[in-house]
Amino acid sequence: MTNSLSNEHIQHPLFKKIEQARRRPTKVRDTNITLAHGSGGKAMRDLIEDIFVGNFDNPTLSQLEDQATFDLATFTAQGDRLAFTTDSYVVDPIFFPGGNIGELAVNGTVNDLAMSGAKPLYLSCGMIIEEGFSVDSLREIAKSMKVAADVAGVKIVTGDTKVVHRGAADKLFINTAGVGVIRSGVSISAQNLQPGDAVIVNGYLGDHGAAITIARGDLALATEVESDTQPLNGLVDTILDVCPEVRAMRDATRGGVATVLNEFAMSSEVGIRLFESSLPVREEVQGVCEILGLDPLYFANEGKLVTVVPGEKAETVLAAMKSHPAGIDAAIVGEVIASPPGILLLQTTFGTERIVDMLVGDQLPRIC
């Protein structure tokens, strides 16, 4: 039995032109996403190659396999443990002052890895797109993700695209997962806190929560606040260079600084005292909170970390943080105390103390 296409046919110029045209990536011409873009056919391949591969652009992703593969030596040369995380992003609005959902997704996953002391290396990206979503908006989001990945020094190496019927999602949902390598000798955990440790934040609190609140347009506020979304892995490296014995570290996203420190206090069975006079909060953010009856300690951040370090290393760490662009406004805001265990206290500007409990209910929906 012979093949239906002979070598003579394959070599024919017309056949070559057809084959070249079939394999040539096509720029998406549609104005809006259709169900065909998630069907698995040519429309979907064009979308992936044009918008995602075209923007993320790296040798691993361009293979268009169902997975990314790596040489283990890539990891073992940089540390002795892997860190792995995943997160989903459903922020509303998807474009806001200071960023968008795509940039947020990259920075958020990079930061989750960095909080373990890991060097983030590779990300995945899953897109759930509502039918009718703007192609131009999707292209802009993908471009911003590439920029964010480059700034953080990571690569988006695999992903998935789904299109759902109109009304089955709210414009665009993004899931990102990340892998990084933890440098040897670093052990960061919420269970490590000891009395005498210092609590440090890397800058102004609540910017992201305030920016999203204002961007929704529900309040007639003239003030402008930009989201603080940014990668923190470079800042974490700077901290670990001067203080490898960091006790704990976490990015203060949903639930804000108050939630992070309550979790630290409960995990280590110690008390934590915050100094209200030392908390860095912009006047605009404080104003938004006062209007809404909210507390900036619970407001979300997307580029702020809370770290706890040995008390004797606090000033050294603070100076190192201030030398980094992401830590210019860093401040020592509290201390670890022996009791009451599991409790976060706030020493007010009047000299009194009050308990700052875990966030109850939902202070601000869909901030990430």
Side-chain angles (χ1 to χ4, degrees):
M1 182 179 294
T2 60
N3 292 330
S4 59
L5 286 176
S6 66
N7 287 335
E8 181 180 350
H9 288 132
I10 292 175
Q11 296 302 320
H12 192 282
L14 180 59
F15 186 92
K16 286 186 175 181
K17 287 184 179 181
I18 293 173
E19 183 66 6
Q20 288 171 357
R22 188 175 71 88
R23 294 179 178 275
R24 186 184 303 119
T26 303
K27 188 177 179 65
V28 176
R29 302 296 181 186
D30 299 285
T31 302
N32 300 100
I33 296 295
T34 69
L35 291 176
H37 290 117
S39 67
K42 188 176 187 305
M44 181 174 176
R45 186 177 181 92
D46 289 345
L47 180 76
I48 292 171
E49 290 190 346
D50 177 14
I51 293 181
F52 301 131
V53 177
N55 281 293
F56 301 159
D57 188 30
N58 61 75
T60 305
L61 181 64
S62 64
Q63 298 298 315
L64 291 179
E65 299 288 355
D66 286 339
Q67 71 289 310
T69 59
F70 312 101
D71 189 331
L72 288 178
T74 302
F75 300 106
T76 56
Q78 302 183 65
D80 57 7
R81 286 162 295 156
L82 288 180
F84 174 66
T85 189
T86 186
D87 207 344
S88 297
Y89 297 84
V90 295
V91 65
D92 177 30
I94 59 174
F95 292 92
F96 46 82
N100 63 58
I101 188 173
E103 180 182 354
L104 193 68
V106 172
N107 288 338
T109 302
V110 165
N111 293 345
D112 284 346
L113 290 171
M115 294 307 105
S116 69
K119 177 181 180 181
L121 295 175
Y122 304 111
L123 303 186
S124 71
C125 172
M127 296 272 187
I128 300 177
I129 312 168
E130 183 185 15
E131 177 190 10
F133 187 66
S134 165
V135 170
D136 285 344
S137 293
L138 186 62
R139 197 184 304 278
E140 183 177 348
I141 287 166
K143 287 180 179 178
S144 73
M145 294 180 75
K146 167 63 172 173
V147 171
D150 286 347
V151 171
V154 299
K155 289 182 171 60
I156 301 171
V157 293
T158 190
D160 184 55
T161 304
K162 294 290 188 295
V163 178
V164 297
H165 287 277
R166 195 182 301 268
D170 188 358
K171 303 180 187 70
L172 176 69
F173 298 156
I174 300 178
N175 172 271
T176 45
V179 176
V181 181
I182 302 174
R183 65 167 79 181
S184 302
V186 171
S187 180
I188 298 174
S189 171
Q191 300 178 5
N192 290 341
L193 276 64
Q194 299 177 20
D197 290 346
V199 180
I200 307 176
V201 299
N202 66 305
Y204 291 105
L205 305 178
D207 287 359
H208 182 71
I212 296 298
T213 301
I214 296 169
R216 289 197 178 114
D218 296 334
L219 303 172
L221 297 178
T223 186
E224 292 186 6
V225 179
E226 288 193 350
S227 170
D228 60 346
T229 178
Q230 62 179 333
L232 296 174
N233 51 319
L235 177 63
V236 171
D237 285 341
T238 297
I239 294 170
L240 292 176
D241 285 343
V242 299
C243 185
E245 60 271 38
V246 166
R247 307 283 198 214
M249 189 179 291
R250 194 164 294 171
D251 55 336
T253 52
R254 286 171 294 181
V257 169
T259 297
V260 168
L261 291 178
N262 267 286
E263 291 171 348
F264 284 178
M266 288 187 287
S267 294
S268 290
E269 297 185 353
V270 295
I272 298 176
R273 179 186 291 119
L274 283 179
F275 308 117
E276 187 175 30
S277 59
S278 300
L279 294 172
V281 180
R282 299 184 196 278
E283 290 184 7
E284 298 89 340
V285 174
Q286 187 66 51
V288 170
C289 288
E290 289 176 358
I291 290 172
L292 298 176
L294 302 175
D295 189 333
L297 284 174
Y298 295 110
F299 248 19
N301 310 270
E302 288 295 343
K304 297 299 182 298
L305 62 79
V306 183
T307 185
V308 180
V309 302
E312 65 273 13
K313 286 294 192 76
E315 291 297 336
T316 300
V317 171
L318 181 64
M321 292 174 71
K322 284 181 172 292
S323 72
H324 190 279
I328 292 173
D329 299 306
I332 299 172
V333 297
E335 62 184 356
V336 179
I337 54 180
S339 63
I343 299 296
L344 174 63
L345 300 173
L346 179 70
Q347 186 179 90
T348 70
T349 53
F350 300 104
T352 59
E353 287 188 339
R354 67 177 177 89
I355 293 175
V356 181
D357 205 351
M358 292 280 285
L359 177 63
V360 178
D362 192 2
Q363 177 170 258
L364 185 67
R366 294 193 57 181
I367 47 79
C368 64

